[in-house]
Amino acid sequence: MKIVLGRDDLAAVAVEGAASAGATPERVDIRPVHKASRGFVNDVSADVCELAVVTLLQAAAHDKPVALLPVTMLGRYQHQTLVTMGELSVDDVRGKSIGVRSWSQTTGVWLRGFLSEQYGIDLTDINWQTYEGGHVDGATDPGWVTRAPEGATLQSDFLEGRLDYGIMGNELPSDDRIRTAIPHALAVAAEWATRKGFAPINHVVGFSAAAANEDPKAVLAVYDALAAAIAADAPTAGPVDLSPVGFDGLRGPVTDASRYAYEQGLLPRRVEFDELVDRTCAALGVTASRLGG
């Protein structure tokens, strides 16, 4: 059983869990972990794999042989990821240029959802520029999104002034000129999460249909091991859980992410959360309650 998870501690826990169920697990270390998604979704290069929420949703919409294991590997506030170096704010984005690594990048999907819902912005009024495609074969970007020239990078274009704004999470460069475009972004994000009852999540865990057919007990053992480890490591402070586990915990954020992704032209059809639940339960031969739902 090949397991691809980004965090060393959780990867070790998953391997131990699979081994306890009688499997022969192998941790495949791919960094950054999102680079594993294409092979997992399209070519079943792993049995259990960390992947972005939007990649999972696109995989479901395009009927790829993968399913959700309801564990959050990365959750965080997102309002602070819209950045600029000038005097611009979020109120000035109409007619301006915004760069994002990929249109399907989950951070960008969340941020664009905020622009639409909280700030009343028509996304087609912005000049969007991306730098790479998505991970799911068959998925395409909307026609009103521009791909940067070959060799260009988001960080260089942003720092050298060819973009008015950038959407950047982990790839944010270190530069004292950079500031958030949404005033008091973290406070706004906390208020959004409190009102919604959940925080945005970026990465979850997927498993292949082949792994479920071959050894569903091992897949379930990975879930149990990860769920226990994340629960033990959960912070006690904060308005919402940044690392929810189980179908009940993931329902809110995944539902919103799916709606945003559909509205932004990333999905050919709506993907409902219960569809993901049914797919997982059918593959593993369990009820939703077995996986926290």
Side-chain angles (χ1 to χ4, degrees):
M1 170 179 276
K2 293 184 177 180
I3 298 174
V4 183
L5 298 176
R7 279 178 52 177
D8 293 339
D9 57 337
L10 293 183
V13 163
V15 167
E16 184 177 351
S20 71
T24 305
E26 170 195 0
R27 194 257 178 117
V28 181
D29 191 8
I30 299 177
R31 299 176 189 262
V33 73
H34 71 78
K35 291 188 178 295
S37 297
R38 174 172 288 280
F40 170 65
V41 169
N42 300 301
D43 303 316
V44 196
S45 60
D47 299 296
V48 175
C49 186
E50 179 176 341
L51 76 170
V53 172
V54 174
T55 300
L56 176 81
L57 291 166
Q58 288 184 314
H62 290 272
D63 202 27
K64 301 296 183 181
V66 301
L68 170 67
L69 201 61
V71 175
T72 301
M73 295 296 293
L74 174 62
R76 67 181 179 209
Y77 294 154
Q78 300 283 15
H79 287 73
Q80 74 281 1
T81 62
L82 180 66
V83 295
T84 184
M85 292 196 300
E87 297 302 317
L88 300 172
S89 78
V90 65
D91 297 323
D92 304 310
V93 298
R94 293 178 180 86
K96 300 297 194 297
S97 59
I98 302 181
V100 62
R101 176 174 58 81
S102 169
W103 191 249
S104 63
Q105 184 182 17
T106 299
T107 294
V109 172
W110 281 113
L111 198 284
R112 292 191 299 268
F114 304 151
L115 291 179
S116 295
E117 283 194 345
Q118 290 184 271
Y119 298 95
I121 294 166
D122 184 336
L123 297 179
T124 62
D125 289 340
I126 297 169
N127 300 315
W128 294 99
Q129 183 157 290
T130 64
Y131 292 80
E132 61 184 67
H135 302 301
V136 179
D137 289 349
T140 58
D141 295 348
W144 41 275
V145 175
T146 300
R147 181 65 57 85
E150 187 72 27
T153 67
L154 170 58
Q155 290 84 355
S156 293
D157 281 353
F158 176 71
L159 292 173
E160 294 169 15
R162 290 183 288 275
L163 293 168
D164 298 307
Y165 303 84
I167 298 176
M168 288 179 274
N170 294 337
E171 62 269 82
L172 183 69
S174 178
D175 192 303
D176 291 340
R177 298 172 296 170
I178 299 173
R179 61 185 185 80
T180 58
I182 295 176
H184 311 293
L186 290 177
V188 173
E191 186 279 330
W192 183 93
T194 300
R195 175 167 46 85
K196 287 280 191 174
F198 56 81
I201 62 176
N202 273 46
H203 290 189
V204 292
V205 180
F207 65 93
S208 69
N213 288 335
E214 181 178 341
D215 199 346
K217 290 183 179 179
V219 176
L220 290 167
V222 168
Y223 169 81
D224 292 339
L226 289 174
I230 290 171
D233 193 41
T236 56
V240 295
D241 186 358
L242 293 177
S243 301
V245 173
F247 288 132
D248 286 347
L250 270 67
R251 179 176 291 275
V254 174
T255 297
D256 264 21
S258 181
R259 178 168 54 85
Y260 289 161
Y262 179 74
E263 292 170 351
Q264 295 168 25
L266 283 154
L267 301 175
R269 61 174 179 82
R270 293 184 182 274
V271 177
E272 302 296 338
F273 188 74
D274 285 332
E275 173 187 341
L276 302 178
V277 174
D278 291 345
R279 177 188 291 243
T280 295
C281 292
L284 296 174
V286 296
T287 62
S289 60
R290 173 63 177 83
L291 295 166

